[in-house]
Amino acid sequence: MGDNKEVKRWNFGANEVVERSSSFTIRDYLYNLISNLDGRDNRPVIPLGQGDPSPFPSFRTDQAAVEAICDAVRSTKFNNYSSSSGIPVARKAVAEYLSRDLSYQISPKDVHITAGCLQAVEILISALATPGANILLPRPSYPMYDSRAAFCQLEVRYFDLLPENGWDVDLHGVEALADDKTVAIVVINPCNPCGNVFSRQHLQKIAETASKLGILVIADEVYDHLAFGDKPFVSMAEFAEIVPVVVLGAISKRWFVPGWRLGWMVTLDPHSIMKDSGFVQSLTNVLNMSTDPATFIQGAMPDIIGNTKEEFFSSKLEMVRKCAEICYEELMKIPCITCPCKPEGSMFTLVKLNLSLLEDISDDLDFCSKLAKEESIIILPGRAVGLDNWLRISFAVEFELLKEGLSRLKNFSQRHSKK
């Protein structure tokens, strides 16, 4: 080509909104950490950065759930398109399943089946993102709320979870943040990333505060049955008489099948506040523009729920509890790490990193990057969930692998401690 030839201008390119939004994702941090692994290290990589125990034999899902999927496929009854809120048998099964733990019955018409809990987040944020609106998110938090809000250009305001109070919500901070453009508050219980479980009394105070402010409560309860401490899990659905609530959930955690991508979004609106405001119709409109979860998994839901024995759930919960116990006890032996609370639920604990006791470590990301390189362990830096110089550790792995990982973490910390 000649030097004088004009360079053609193309009318597309990078989308700055997408670039900013994607920087919030856990995957982005995990890919970065994985790139630091030393290929010459022959030891197995220990994945304590992501809450997905499904690859491990001890956390394999129940055979009844597998058979339910196979039967649904073989039946050929579920090869058709789904309605936007899910097929009737799935909505009914989820409504009955959730109602077991409530003081009232959920109607199937209020259940919307989604492609995992994440799609429910995407749909909700999209419906809430009106011009000038803002949403209240916890700090620390599950960062997909942040990334989806940024993508939809919905302003985020952060309220604190207080480690000195067992990670309870700073309710005074919530009231100070909210204004007449605030549309919702997100409550994750049991909590990812902190591992705490909110008490019934505290949940009621959150509901009363949200009602006072005139905002929706989004209750992310994807870890709803993974509560193994002294506090029993209580659903925010119990407080729908006080404030409109949208409950999010999925089979991914309790059945250990995140790849099956089956979740739900339940609108609890006994006083028709969401309906009369037009918000329920907006949700329906976003659902109509969204992809449906696979129909054979929806069709299997009655049997997945109905045929899985309680013994499966209780044995797996005991395993998670034991993992949490091991994790807490071993972390307490590492001087540069402080555990503000013993984990009570979910698959995570959030711990504080004391950089003053370490040398050659500049921050939490540097700690996790060097840990990956030197010890072949993946742990998530706290900045990924909103708190610099903290660490989020997932403890739901095989016992021996967990013990080995925590031993490597201890060795790494000793090697980098100030002499």
Side-chain angles (χ1 to χ4, degrees):
M1 295 177 119
D3 291 340
N4 296 327
K5 188 173 179 67
E6 184 178 341
V7 177
K8 182 173 178 60
R9 182 179 70 85
W10 296 96
N11 298 331
F12 57 88
N15 184 325
E16 292 182 6
V17 174
V18 172
E19 301 308 312
R20 286 196 304 271
S21 306
S22 65
S23 66
F24 289 106
T25 64
I26 286 176
R27 286 175 178 172
D28 195 53
Y29 281 97
L30 291 177
Y31 293 153
N32 179 278
L33 293 173
I34 289 168
S35 71
N36 284 280
L37 292 169
D38 185 349
R40 296 167 298 180
D41 191 336
N42 293 322
R43 295 175 298 175
V45 176
I46 300 180
L48 305 184
Q50 189 173 24
D52 182 9
S54 61
F56 303 112
S58 295
F59 290 97
R60 196 161 289 150
T61 196
D62 190 50
Q63 189 60 29
V66 175
E67 291 301 324
I69 293 284
C70 295
D71 290 345
V73 173
R74 290 192 194 102
S75 75
T76 70
K77 294 178 181 178
F78 306 108
N79 295 340
N80 54 302
Y81 284 120
S82 169
S83 65
S84 59
S85 289
I87 63 177
V89 293
R91 299 174 75 182
K92 182 174 183 288
V94 170
E96 292 174 350
Y97 169 68
L98 296 178
S99 297
R100 293 176 188 173
D101 300 321
L102 298 177
S103 57
Y104 63 95
Q105 294 293 308
I106 291 174
S107 170
K109 69 180 178 59
D110 295 326
V111 175
H112 310 277
I113 304 299
T114 58
C117 196
L118 179 54
Q119 191 193 34
V121 172
E122 294 170 352
I123 289 166
L124 261 176
I125 297 296
S126 298
L128 288 166
T130 55
N134 66 78
I135 188 170
L136 306 182
L137 299 185
R139 180 174 49 205
S141 181
Y142 173 59
M144 291 308 294
Y145 287 97
D146 309 68
S147 60
R148 182 52 53 169
F151 181 69
C152 292
Q153 302 186 54
L154 174 64
E155 180 192 348
V156 170
R157 298 181 181 180
Y158 295 99
F159 62 90
D160 290 322
L161 302 181
L162 304 171
E164 66 274 17
N165 291 344
W167 295 110
D168 275 355
V169 172
D170 178 3
L171 292 172
H172 294 299
V174 168
E175 292 198 41
L177 285 171
D179 60 21
D180 61 356
K181 294 291 187 182
T182 306
V183 291
I185 181 171
V186 172
V187 180
I188 305 173
N189 181 45
C191 186
N192 172 12
C194 304
N196 61 297
V197 176
F198 293 127
S199 69
R200 175 180 284 272
Q201 294 78 9
H202 191 60
L203 289 169
Q204 181 167 337
K205 288 179 182 178
I206 295 170
E208 290 168 349
T209 301
S211 178
K212 177 181 175 182
L213 297 172
I215 61 178
L216 175 71
V217 174
I218 298 171
D220 184 329
E221 298 179 355
V222 73
Y223 289 97
D224 59 354
H225 285 88
L226 289 179
F228 43 78
D230 293 334
K231 294 178 196 165
F233 168 75
V234 177
S235 175
M236 185 61 84
E238 290 287 10
F239 306 102
E241 284 286 345
I242 298 173
V243 66
V245 176
V246 179
V247 171
L248 311 184
I251 63 171
S252 56
K253 309 305 180 186
R254 197 180 190 200
W255 274 267
F256 304 97
V257 287
W260 288 11
R261 310 310 302 153
L262 196 292
W264 51 80
M265 175 174 62
V266 186
T267 52
L268 301 170
D269 190 30
H271 302 296
S272 298
I273 297 167
M274 283 191 278
K275 181 181 178 183
D276 293 345
S277 70
F279 181 65
V280 170
Q281 185 58 52
S282 291
L283 277 181
T284 300
N285 292 341
V286 178
L287 281 161
N288 286 338
M289 294 186 285
S290 303
T291 303
D292 310 318
T295 47
F296 67 87
I297 300 179
Q298 293 190 55
M301 280 301 288
D303 287 342
I304 291 175
I305 292 170
N307 296 344
T308 304
K309 300 290 190 294
E310 185 57 39
E311 180 186 352
F312 168 79
F313 297 129
S314 58
S315 65
K316 292 295 186 283
L317 183 63
E318 176 57 22
M319 286 178 57
V320 175
R321 188 203 63 76
K322 186 176 178 182
C323 286
E325 189 82 25
I326 292 169
C327 186
Y328 180 73
E329 289 176 357
E330 294 305 310
L331 289 173
M332 293 289 284
K333 300 174 184 177
I334 304 176
C336 68
I337 288 174
T338 302
C339 302
C341 305
K342 188 175 183 179
E344 306 169 305
S346 78
M347 300 176 181
F348 307 101
T349 188
L350 197 66
V351 297
K352 188 170 178 59
L353 193 59
N354 189 341
L355 293 173
S356 67
L357 298 179
L358 298 169
E359 60 182 8
D360 303 323
I361 302 291
S362 59
D363 55 32
D364 55 325
L365 181 58
D366 188 38
F367 183 95
C368 292
S369 298
K370 288 175 178 173
L371 179 65
K373 183 175 183 178
E374 296 178 26
E375 295 289 353
S376 292
I377 313 175
I378 303 297
I379 286 176
L380 197 69
R383 67 186 54 208
V385 296
L387 281 186
D388 290 351
N389 299 327
W390 288 68
L391 306 171
R392 190 194 76 169
I393 299 173
S394 174
F395 47 73
V397 297
E398 300 280 9
F399 295 146
E400 294 308 315
L401 199 61
L402 178 61
K403 291 175 183 176
E404 171 65 19
L406 294 169
S407 174
R408 292 189 206 174
L409 175 60
K410 184 178 180 181
N411 291 339
F412 174 83
S413 301
Q414 289 174 338
R415 192 161 60 248
H416 287 273
S417 64
K418 288 184 176 177
K419 305 299 187 285

